[in-house]
Amino acid sequence: MLSAHPAHPGAEPQAGTPKVRPHMRSLPLRVGTRGSPLALWQTRTFLDVVLHFCPVLRNAKAFEEHVIQTSGDRIQDRRLADVGGKGLFAKEIHEALLDRRIDFAVHSLKDLETEMPPGVVLACTMKREDSRDVLIPGPGMAALDPSDPIGSIPAGVRLGTASLRRQAQLLHARPDLQVGMIRGNVQTRLRKLAEGEADATMLALAGLKRMELSPEGMMVLDPEAMVPAAGQGIVGVTVRAEDVELHELLAGIEDREARAVSRAERALLASLDGSCRTPIGGHARLLPDGRLHLTGLVARPDGSFLLKRSLHGGVSDAEALGQELGLSLRADSPADIFG
């Protein structure tokens, strides 16, 4: 029997969180994950939270880890936008879920499709780590100005990134820069930078923090100046839609703020409905007065067009806010942006 009585200060149920009934299930529960160091860290940290929340599982060998290699992991010589988009980091994992080879899966939320495959639902979002991007200079590059990191990049620098979102914003601000592709996990990209494949690169601060990495000279970028990817810094957990009991159990430990900001950001994406080659940014945060602030961005990959807008609204209207902002951006963008 699985019970769900809070046992960890960081996992106390919040207002509006559904009460979780005890469940009868066979153990172990099989969890799907990618095999990168960051993915494994996120999965094991999430399972620790579940064990704190459900003490009865601690000595029951409750979980069985299943590492699944995805298309996104295998394809390293091309941008994901050229081979099907970021959903390639979840495709094989969700196939395993639907085939009942696993019971649930742990993901970086920004890697999930906006629309889940039929039969799969997003059951839980965990407390967000820092959502900002960082700019990392390579060896020998002059120190950046903390007050204007992007503006202080030396002219003609080769910056490596696989993200069209980052590329578009960089080239819009600095059309003199050269942007090339660097793929791989956090450690791989830092190694490629050290080996001189680029003069500088950009990464998500969340991944660096989770891996306890602090590259020399890195500069954290304001999320209004470099709008992050929707879902960046949030761990999301998917289950089969029919698995109501497991969905209910996981929903009981969801972070309320993460749920609000992720719903706004993912609604923005859904409303824009851009192709995998459309640079899109989406970043929501709670204001001191409890309202939600959402910034959205669309651009051309070469930075020749960029439109950025923000809206405020109530947390209960998170999805409507995302939809409204997305429709506004779409209405005032050239048709080719979404081709």
Side-chain angles (χ1 to χ4, degrees):
M1 176 181 294
L2 309 188
S3 65
H5 300 293
H8 185 258
E12 290 294 332
Q14 303 169 46
T17 299
K19 294 182 179 179
V20 183
R21 300 190 308 271
H23 303 285
M24 295 296 296
R25 301 187 64 93
S26 60
L27 297 176
L29 294 174
R30 298 158 300 171
V31 53
T33 177
R34 292 170 59 204
S36 72
L38 178 58
L40 293 172
W41 185 97
Q42 291 177 162
T43 296
R44 292 163 186 172
T45 300
F46 169 73
L47 294 180
D48 284 344
V49 173
V50 177
L51 292 175
H52 280 298
F53 195 83
C54 306
V56 72
L57 299 179
R58 290 178 187 169
N59 300 314
K61 296 183 178 178
F63 301 111
E64 185 177 276
E65 199 175 90
H66 287 247
V67 173
I68 299 171
Q69 187 181 46
T70 68
S71 300
D73 295 312
R74 287 193 298 271
I75 301 169
Q76 292 293 317
D77 60 344
R78 287 167 285 171
R79 292 183 185 272
L80 293 178
D82 296 330
V83 290
K86 62 183 180 179
L88 292 177
F89 282 125
K91 179 178 179 291
E92 286 82 358
I93 294 176
H94 284 154
E95 287 172 352
L97 188 61
L98 292 170
D99 291 345
R100 298 180 178 277
R101 286 177 278 140
I102 59 173
D103 297 298
F104 64 98
V106 181
H107 314 261
S108 293
L109 188 62
K110 72 174 182 178
D111 291 337
L112 288 181
E113 312 95 316
T114 308
E115 183 176 347
M116 292 287 100
V120 175
V121 294
L122 179 60
C124 177
T125 49
M126 302 304 293
K127 183 176 177 61
R128 184 173 226 164
E129 180 51 274
D130 199 313
S131 60
R132 294 175 293 177
D133 285 315
V134 297
L135 177 60
I136 306 171
M141 185 171 151
L144 300 172
D145 181 354
S147 67
D148 185 15
I150 293 175
S152 64
I153 300 173
V157 153
R158 299 170 302 135
L159 194 139
T161 178
S163 165
L164 291 177
R165 171 189 60 83
R166 290 172 179 145
Q167 171 183 304
Q169 293 183 79
L170 281 167
L171 290 178
H172 182 75
R174 291 290 307 276
D176 60 299
L177 298 180
Q178 303 176 48
V179 178
M181 188 186 71
I182 284 186
R183 286 286 314 280
N185 61 38
V186 172
Q187 290 83 353
T188 298
R189 281 182 276 178
L190 290 176
R191 175 180 56 78
K192 289 180 177 180
L193 177 65
E195 292 173 350
E197 289 195 23
D199 300 318
T201 191
M202 294 183 67
L203 292 171
L205 180 55
L208 293 171
K209 283 191 169 185
R210 287 166 174 159
M211 293 287 92
E212 298 183 345
L213 296 170
S214 183
E216 185 176 355
M218 77 172 189
M219 292 286 172
V220 180
L221 303 176
D222 187 306
E224 295 296 318
M226 176 60 64
V227 181
Q232 188 157 298
I234 298 176
V235 171
V237 183
T238 54
V239 300
R240 288 184 294 276
E242 65 187 36
D243 197 341
V244 177
E245 289 188 342
L246 186 54
H247 189 171
E248 184 183 49
L249 174 69
L250 296 175
I253 60 174
E254 182 167 55
D255 182 80
R256 182 173 59 184
E257 181 174 343
R259 180 169 69 174
V261 297
S262 64
R263 287 185 174 183
E265 292 168 6
R266 288 174 66 78
L268 169 71
L269 286 182
S271 182
L272 286 168
D273 193 28
S275 75
C276 59
R277 297 189 62 83
T278 306
I280 296 174
H283 181 251
R285 58 186 173 87
L286 290 184
L287 299 171
D289 63 5
R291 291 188 303 156
L292 201 61
H293 174 93
L294 175 64
T295 297
L297 171 145
V298 294
R300 286 196 181 101
D302 65 2
S304 62
F305 171 83
L306 185 147
L307 179 62
K308 178 169 57 179
R309 286 179 178 160
S310 298
L311 283 179
H312 298 74
V315 168
S316 61
D317 298 321
E319 291 184 6
L321 194 69
Q323 182 179 37
E324 180 183 351
L325 183 55
L327 290 175
S328 169
L329 290 168
R330 189 179 184 90
D332 292 329
S333 297
D336 67 279
I337 295 293
F338 302 98

